[in-house]
Structures are given as C-alpha cells and as structure tokens.
Amino acid sequence: MEKNKATVEWDRLEAKPEFKALLSRKASFIIKATVFFMAYYLALPILVGYAPELMKKKVFGEVNIAYLFALSQFFMAWIMAFVYVRVASRWDREAAAVIADAK
Amino acid sequence: MTISLIMFIAFVALTLLITFWAAKRNTGASAYFAAGRSITGWQNGLAVAGDYMSAASFLGISGMICFYGYDGFMYSVGFLVAYITVLLIVAEPLRNAGKYTMADLLAYRLNPRPVRAMASLSTLTVSTFYMIAQMVGAGVIIERLIGLPFAPAVIGVGVLMLVYVVFGGMLATTWVQIIKALLLMAGAILLSYLVLQFHDFSLAGFFDAVSKADYAGTAEPKNLMEPGLKFGIAVAGPWGPLDLVSLGLGLVLGTAGLPHILVRFYTVPDAKTARSSVVWAMAIIGVFYIMTTFFGFGAATILKKALILTESGAPNPNMVAPILAQELGGELFFAFISAVAFATILAVVAGLTMSASASFAHDFYSNVIHAGKENRPGAEVKVARITAFVVGAVSIGIAIFLGPAVNAAFLVGLAFAVAASANLPVIIFSVFWKRFNTTGAVAGLVTGLASAIILILLSPVGIFGKAGAPFPLENPGIVSIPLGFLAAYLGTILTPRDLVAEAKFSELTVRAHTGLGSEKATSH
C-alpha cells in the first residue's frame, strides 16, 4: 500500500471529466437531500412551537397531527436511507471505473 | 434482588470472556484501535446502534415520555433523523480517508499539528461530558437495583469498563456493544408486547388511555398525546419555541460529530460497509425509538404514581422502564431489564473511553508531541491504554464529586451541542471545500467548542440559574452551530490561501470518493 501511495497521480485522477461529473452529481444529490430532510425535520419543532393548536387536532381517535407527523419522520428517514443506498451503489461503480487504470 | 445479581454476574462473565478472546487477537495498532477493520456491515450497524441507545435513550427517554408525554417523543425523532446526516455527509469520506480518529481526515490536507491538537481537545471534551452523564446514571441505577451505594457503584462500572478497553481494545468493545444491542432490542420488544397485551392489543384503547393519563407528576389528568408539557414552559415568553428548534438542531447535527460514533466507521473494511452499517443502525434505532411510544406511554397508563416515586417522594424518571418491566413481567423480567440497562451503560462508557484514548494516543501523543515520527512498535497502543486508565479515573472522580443529583440530560445535551458546533463544520469543510485552510479549521474548532460551553454556562440551566441567565435558551445549538461554521469560514477567507492544502485537496477528494489507498481489512 505504501508503494501504491507514491505512484498514484491524484491530480490526474481528480481532473478526469468522468470524475468531475460524478462529483457534481453527488454534490447536487446530497445538497438537495440535505435541504429536504432538514426542512422536513425542523418543520416538526417549528410547528409544535408556533402552531400548537394545529398540532393538537385529532385525526383518528386520540391520535393527533403532532404524533402522526413525528411518526412520519421515522419513515422519511428510512425512505431517504433506502434511496441514498440505491444511488450510492451506482456512484460506487462509476468511481471504480475512474480509478480502474490507476491501480 | 438475587435474580438481578445473578443476571449481572452472568453478563459480566460473558463480556469478560469476549475481552479475553479479543485480547489474544490484539496484534498492533489497527487491531487495537479499529478491530482490524474486520467488522461486517450488520455487526457494525448493531454496534453503532448499541453505542447510541445509551442509558440516556433507554431509561431517560422512557422517563421523559412517561412524565412529559409527546415532548419526550421528540427526542426519539431527533435521535433517528440525525443518522441521515451521518449517512449522507460523514460516514463514507471518513472511512475512506481516515485511519483511527476524526482528526485523521482533517490532517490529510491541513497542517497536522495544530489541527490534531484542537481536534483531540474537542474529542476529549465531548467524550468526557458524555461519559460523566453515563457514570452518574450507572451509579443511580445500581444503587437502586442491587443496593450498592453510589460511589462504589460508579467505581465498579469504571473498573469493568477499563478492563474491556485496556485489554480488549476496539474488538472487545464492539462485541460487547453488539450483544448488548441484541439484549436491549429483545427486552424492548417484550416490554412493548406486554404493554399492548395489557391494553388488549387495541391501539385505539392504548392511545385513549394515554390521552387520559392521570399522574405524570401532575395534579389533574393530562393529555400526554399533546405537545407542550415540557418544552415551551421551561423557557418563558417568546423564547420557548425557539429553544425547541435549537434542541432539534443540536440533536440532528450533533450525532455526526460524536467521536465514539465516528470511530465506529473505522472498524469496517470499506466505505460501502460503512454505509450499510449506518442503514442497519437506522433500522434498529428506528424500531427501538418507535417502541419508546409503548414503554414511555405504557408506563404512564399502567403504573400507579406511588410506584414511580423514590423513597424521598420525588418522581424518579430514570427508573420508569425497569419498574414497568417488574409490574408487567415480574421479578425475572425486572432483573433482565436491569441487567440490560447496566450492560448498556457499561458498553457505552467503554466505547467513549475507546474514542477518547485513541484520539489522545494517536493525535496528541504520536502526531503532536512526536510529530508523527514515533516509530517504536506498540508505543501508540501503550499510550492509549494508559490514557484509557486516566480518562476512566478522571470521569469516575468527577461523577462521584458531582454526585447522583446532577442532571444527566444536561451533560449529554452539552456533548451534542459541542459535537455539532465544533466537529461537524470542520469535517464538512474539509471534505467539500477546496479553499479551506488550517486557520479556518482551528478557528472553527475553538469557536464551536467555546461558544457551546459558554452559552450553556450562561443559560437557565447554567451557573446563573433560571432567573438571572443572560442567555435565554437552554439549548445553545441555534447560536453555537452557525458560529462554528462562520468561524471556520471567516478563519479561512481572512487568511492567505494555503496552496499545499489546496494541492492535497485533489488527493483527499479522490480518496474520499473512490476509496483508493484506504486501509483495508486485516484477517485475524
């Protein structure tokens, strides 16, 4: 591995157009996903704090909007993890192609 | 009490066997600090979940939901959603570009000595606050369960934890964590089942009972399903809702900066496994936190007020889950849940000590004091073992000094706030921003660390008390996290460009995004 370190041309790899394209697709996905999940998550404390009467409205039985919204956060997190894993394994293959000739 | 004692002894014996087994496999630094990078995705997922479902989660959140209803459940939500931050931003680059600690990632392109020194200070601070909170929890629980007084109970936990860390290293700590996570999930599922059985397996009936809970430390019945029983009351006036947002921000961003969670990603062979272990952890943690609905609200509907009170007459939020287990499942189940609670604390404290001692030995001793030129084989591992001993002894001492009355949630909140404000900004900038330089990293770490601690000291839970606090919020995150990012940004753009760091950014980028050149697994 030490020998490998000395011979890898990091700059050349980084400058490859396929790698640049991969990075910008990754960045675009991660930024969009982060903005979405932060907004969805922070909506919970903001609504609970500033619109408590709305959150106390009952949907069925004693179960209210506040509890359902909180519960939905779990599914949001799971779905997002599922989607991320799918796109990330595609990125893995593309990244492997970029470094294939460097080994 | 004898069944509890037998279960404690059985658990301790089992974990000591694991430690003995792991000790024989500790050959070199990678084996000691990173379990030889041999842990698989689901194993690490369980270990991450185990590190996370601490005493504060299991005992603390059950108590919070039982006493304050919905507002306690908001902690459960934040703790899970936080893993999206870990998954999207931190886990993979960290595994690809790091070796043993968070600072490895930063030191790749920045001037290693100042960056490692500050990162090490921040790691030690976060770990120590977190650890003291767990130690205090352990002392209180063992005192109540097997009648051992507070100080000897804390010392006992400390000594056991040191045995795991000093002899077994990361491999033993990981396996203790995995076993504990499995036991905890089994206990939580059984407890939820018994709660539903009590309500004749009717969810409608269950939520009906929750909405009419008639104790929770209140004079008249309260609807525990409604928000606002805790937050928004603690901080008066217009600041209440803001405090809630601040807490949420700290929870969701803090996890990605917690050193004992970050070091877990070095125990796996590659970034793909790091990713799959976060997903496993999210599945386990998510199911667990949804079940807090049943044992938190379940305790509120099933337990009578007298059961929750301590001998002095004050409500005892930390004991809600074990008492519920006793009420529904009898003495044997009580003993099981208690032993699991004990195991939880022991395992989390061991994980924390591991991350603190790894950071001191690897970052401070090897790379700051010896400028990375320390080549004697085994020196780093030896220093880590000594550090573990010192860190353990110091936190045992502080925990005993603070005594059983200190607010454990306050200490954990501080750890989260410091982690989010100091560690997260520099990790993100280091991976994603080419222009980022050493001054920016040090400025971000110092500002995040200092602002989180100072704001807590000035807050209503700090040194001035509720009335005279100059800072109105209990949670500093909403101010200290942006300050951490701002300081890292300003520190960078106000100082000259660091051409070496920018040149090395190519290397870090390729490494972080492809895994080229990262340290692979060693076989045991």
Side-chain angles (χ1 to χ4, degrees):
Chain A
M1 206 197 85
E2 285 303 312
K3 202 170 65 196
N4 189 8
K5 211 185 245 173
T7 55
V8 172
E9 297 166 48
W10 303 106
D11 296 331
R12 186 182 62 79
L13 287 176
E14 203 238 357
K16 279 176 129 182
E18 310 93 274
F19 188 64
K20 291 267 185 221
L22 170 65
L23 283 190
S24 71
R25 276 205 309 284
K26 266 182 119 163
S28 138
F29 178 89
I30 290 174
I31 290 167
K32 280 179 203 151
T34 304
V35 168
F36 171 78
F37 93 80
M38 286 298 283
Y40 192 85
Y41 170 70
L42 286 177
L44 180 70
I46 290 171
L47 285 172
V48 163
Y50 292 98
E53 292 314 314
L54 170 76
M55 297 301 271
K56 285 176 186 172
K57 282 215 170 72
K58 286 168 192 170
V59 181
F60 37 83
E62 290 294 333
V63 178
N64 54 24
I65 296 180
Y67 184 79
L68 287 178
F69 192 29
L71 201 60
S72 79
Q73 301 272 346
F74 287 83
F75 294 94
M76 181 275 287
W78 280 330
I79 291 168
M80 185 156 263
F82 177 77
V83 170
Y84 177 76
V85 165
R86 298 219 32 189
V87 295
S89 58
R90 200 169 63 224
W91 296 337
D92 280 348
R93 287 194 294 277
E94 294 174 13
V98 168
I99 59 169
D101 60 342
K103 282 188 174 161
Chain B
M1 284 302 142
T2 41
I3 308 174
S4 311
L5 203 58
I6 292 166
M7 283 219 179
F8 279 151
I9 293 166
F11 177 77
V12 170
L14 177 68
T15 52
L16 285 177
L17 270 177
I18 295 169
T19 309
F20 176 70
W21 162 80
K24 289 198 297 185
R25 280 158 185 77
N26 273 335
T27 48
S30 169
Y32 181 80
F33 289 120
R37 324 216 182 266
S38 61
I39 306 294
T40 67
W42 67 268
Q43 289 168 349
N44 198 47
L46 270 170
V48 171
D51 254 324
Y52 206 57
M53 298 183 294
S54 69
S57 298
F58 178 48
L59 302 170
I61 292 186
S62 329
M64 282 270 254
I65 297 177
C66 174
F67 281 62
Y68 305 109
Y70 179 82
D71 285 11
F73 191 58
M74 303 231 343
Y75 270 97
S76 299
V77 172
F79 281 145
L80 176 75
V81 175
Y83 271 88
I84 294 286
T85 320
V86 178
L87 180 65
L88 259 49
I89 299 171
V90 179
E92 295 172 45
L94 200 71
R95 172 61 195 94
N96 274 337
K99 208 164 150 73
Y100 304 133
T101 66
M102 171 188 87
D104 287 337
L105 179 74
L106 312 178
Y108 242 114
R109 44 185 294 239
L110 306 174
N111 183 359
R113 288 176 87 159
V115 168
R116 279 191 192 271
M118 269 317 297
S120 185
L121 180 65
S122 158
T123 298
L124 284 169
T125 309
V126 174
S127 306
T128 308
F129 281 127
Y130 217 98
M131 193 143 58
I132 296 167
Q134 307 289 335
M135 292 276 200
V136 169
V140 176
I141 288 156
I142 293 169
E143 188 177 16
R144 168 79 183 255
L145 292 177
I146 55 176
L148 206 61
F150 182 74
V154 170
I155 293 172
V157 170
V159 169
L160 268 177
M161 156 221 75
L162 280 178
V163 170
Y164 302 152
V165 172
V166 171
F167 296 104
M170 199 61 173
L171 189 61
T173 309
T174 302
W175 276 102
V176 169
Q177 208 57 274
I178 291 171
I179 290 175
K180 168 233 133 166
L182 289 171
L183 289 175
L184 185 58
M185 285 304 282
I189 291 169
L190 187 55
L191 194 54
S192 304
Y193 176 83
L194 291 173
V195 166
L196 280 172
Q197 190 183 45
F198 183 91
H199 289 285
D200 298 323
F201 298 103
S202 155
L203 276 177
F206 172 69
F207 284 116
D208 250 13
V210 172
S211 69
K212 297 177 186 69
D214 63 353
Y215 81 99
T218 58
E220 71 263 30
K222 280 258 159 84
N223 185 351
L224 289 182
M225 290 296 287
E226 291 189 347
L229 289 178
K230 180 172 174 65
F231 303 120
I233 298 173
V235 177
W239 300 112
L242 210 55
D243 199 31
L244 197 57
V245 178
S246 186
L247 170 74
L249 216 50
L251 292 180
V252 86
L253 297 178
T255 306
L258 289 178
H260 67 298
I261 300 295
L262 297 180
V263 295
R264 285 249 150 260
F265 299 115
Y266 295 129
T267 63
V268 296
D270 51 36
K272 200 179 168 64
T273 321
R275 183 195 313 145
S276 89
S277 60
V278 182
V279 174
W280 273 105
M282 285 182 70
I284 297 160
I285 293 167
V287 170
F288 178 81
Y289 283 126
I290 288 181
M291 285 193 294
T292 58
T293 303
F294 298 114
F295 37 86
F297 285 136
T301 55
I302 293 165
L303 297 183
K304 295 286 160 279
K305 193 170 183 171
L307 283 173
I308 304 279
L309 300 183
T310 58
E311 276 143 29
S312 60
N316 189 345
N318 284 328
M319 288 303 294
V320 163
I323 293 171
L324 182 66
Q326 187 172 30
E327 186 74 7
L328 291 175
E331 211 51 48
L332 187 68
F333 193 40
F334 172 71
F336 178 76
I337 288 288
S338 308
V340 169
F342 172 75
T344 297
I345 293 165
L346 208 54
V348 171
V349 171
L352 286 164
T353 311
M354 198 64 219
S355 66
S357 60
S359 173
F360 184 83
H362 180 64
D363 295 327
F364 210 82
Y365 173 80
S366 285
N367 286 297
V368 177
I369 298 177
H370 287 271
K373 292 190 193 74
E374 171 61 74
N375 287 322
R376 275 177 300 147
E380 208 174 273
V381 172
K382 197 173 151 199
V383 171
R385 290 191 163 126
I386 297 169
T387 314
F389 190 78
V390 174
V391 170
V394 168
S395 28
I396 291 170
I398 298 177
I400 292 174
F401 172 76
L402 291 174
V406 71
N407 185 343
F410 163 73
L411 292 167
V412 169
L414 188 52
F416 266 84
V418 172
S421 319
N423 297 350
L424 190 64
V426 295
I427 293 177
I428 290 181
F429 282 157
S430 188
V431 176
F432 294 101
W433 189 24
K434 186 170 187 171
R435 171 75 168 83
F436 193 45
N437 66 18
T438 305
T439 320
V442 172
L445 284 164
V446 173
T447 308
L449 188 66
S451 63
I453 292 178
I454 291 170
L455 287 177
I456 291 237
L457 289 176
L458 298 180
S459 80
V461 287
I463 44 178
F464 295 100
K466 261 198 162 63
F471 182 68
L473 305 179
E474 285 188 6
N475 299 285
I478 202 165
V479 178
S480 66
I481 297 170
L483 275 181
F485 276 100
L486 189 68
Y489 175 74
L490 289 179
T492 301
I493 58 156
L494 295 181
T495 51
R497 287 172 61 181
D498 180 347
L499 296 174
V500 180
E502 288 186 32
K504 279 198 188 153
F505 184 71
S506 307
E507 180 179 339
L508 180 76
T509 308
V510 177
R511 277 176 184 276
H513 294 278
T514 64
L516 190 61
S518 68
E519 197 164 314
K520 296 291 184 260
T522 53
S523 57
H524 285 295

